[in-house]
């Protein structure tokens, strides 16, 4: 994979993590989709790290 793609994926992971943090602190942001997105982003980044090791 391309380095730019890796960077974009990690940037997206940061956004999802931020949304998850907001949801923990403010019920207005709480949504099951945020948890599902966070889990999927963790799976993707774990796969990237496995492939690059």
């Amino acid at each position: 994979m391309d380095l730019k793609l890796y960077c974009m994926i990690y940037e997206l992971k940061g956004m999802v993590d931020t949304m998850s943090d907001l949801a923990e602190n403010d019920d207005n942001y709480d949504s099951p989709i945020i948890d599902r997105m966070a889990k999927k982003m963790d799976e993707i980044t774990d796969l990237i790290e496995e492939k690059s090791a």
Side-chain angles (χ1 to χ4, degrees):
M1 271 194 219
D2 178 41
L3 180 61
K4 184 174 180 176
L5 181 58
Y6 287 148
C7 291
M8 291 172 71
I9 289 170
Y10 278 97
E11 183 178 5
L12 182 59
K13 181 180 179 351
M15 290 180 214
V16 172
D17 289 345
T18 299
M19 289 171 46
S20 181
D21 290 343
L22 284 171
E24 287 179 10
N25 295 318
D26 189 343
D27 289 337
N28 291 327
Y29 292 98
D30 196 17
S31 172
I33 190 83
I34 294 172
D35 292 332
R36 291 173 43 207
M37 288 173 28
K39 287 178 186 175
K40 187 57 69 177
M41 288 306 304
D42 287 340
E43 290 176 23
I44 292 169
T45 54
D46 288 345
L47 182 61
I48 290 170
E49 290 170 3
E50 286 175 15
K51 296 283 184 179
S52 65

